[in-house]
Amino acid sequence: GDGELADEVLAEHLTPDTKMVACYCSVGYRSSKLAERLKKERNAPDGLFVNVEKSVFGWANDGRPVFKDGKQVKRVHPFNSFWGMLLNSELRSET
């Protein structure tokens, strides 16, 4: 699941110098749970694991830049048409 992938990524990239890990998903539910779980499991200080408010859909809807493979993109994949309703129409990639 998402938690296992997060643990793999953290094992590879989390260092003692890490100041913040921003967790995000489509709408924010899963990422908020992940940030809470990581904070508890690792007895982390406040602010190390944070949830991106409104997550990637809100980020894109607010006009902030979105990247894929290091390149800025203009569209976000919403998973399906139901979830796509949460994205501004011009930002939706095909489902």
Side-chain angles (χ1 to χ4, degrees):
D2 295 334
E4 292 170 4
L5 178 59
D7 290 335
E8 289 177 30
V9 171
L10 288 173
E12 185 175 342
H13 297 287
L14 189 65
T15 71
D17 295 331
T18 301
K19 303 284 187 235
M20 179 187 297
V21 175
C23 301
Y24 69 93
C25 63
S26 298
V27 295
Y29 178 78
R30 291 172 297 152
S31 56
S32 67
K33 296 296 181 192
L34 177 62
E36 289 174 21
R37 179 181 71 83
L38 292 170
K39 182 179 177 187
K40 271 187 201 173
E41 286 179 1
R42 296 167 187 271
N43 196 26
D46 286 341
L48 179 59
F49 297 106
V50 298
N51 180 47
V52 175
E53 188 73 26
K54 300 191 287 182
S55 236
V56 74
F57 287 1
W59 182 273
N61 285 338
D62 287 346
R64 296 185 175 113
V66 177
F67 294 83
K68 180 178 181 180
D69 299 325
K71 295 181 181 176
Q72 190 168 352
V73 296
K74 297 182 188 253
R75 297 185 180 269
V76 176
H77 191 281
F79 183 69
N80 62 31
S81 58
F82 175 79
W83 291 108
M85 292 186 295
L86 298 173
L87 271 170
N88 294 345
S89 61
E90 70 276 7
L91 299 172
R92 290 182 217 136
S93 66
E94 292 186 26
T95 55

